Amino acid sequence: MIEYELHQIRATELRRRAAYERLVREVLRGRRAARRATAARRRADRESPSDTGSPGRHRHPRTA
């Protein structure tokens, strides 16, 4: 009987842990999405109608 109760306790703890980890992943996903949205808005604000699509600064190849 004790083994069965221990099994039940462990199974319940695993379920709680899994639910907590799912919640953490969901929060991180939301934060990442918010960062991407903010970055996209900033990019859209920086672009003007006369923008040629080139990067903000000129990039030179690295010297050896």
Side-chain angles (χ1 to χ4, degrees):
M1 189 71 166
I2 292 175
E3 289 85 12
Y4 177 74
E5 291 172 1
L6 287 175
H7 172 72
Q8 293 291 72
I9 291 169
R10 287 186 192 118
T12 304
E13 180 59 32
L14 283 174
R15 284 189 200 103
R16 282 188 194 129
R17 188 180 216 175
Y20 175 75
E21 289 176 3
R22 277 193 297 272
L23 179 64
V24 168
R25 281 194 305 268
E26 184 180 335
V27 167
L28 291 175
R29 219 175 295 133
R31 287 181 185 172
R32 250 182 264 134
R35 270 197 309 266
R36 282 191 209 112
T38 301
R41 272 196 306 275
R42 285 184 184 154
R43 263 186 265 120
D45 290 345
R46 275 189 288 163
E47 292 177 358
S48 63
S50 63
D51 192 11
T52 60
S54 62
R57 60 182 180 187
H58 299 289
R59 304 202 186 270
H60 299 289
R62 296 178 88 179
T63 56

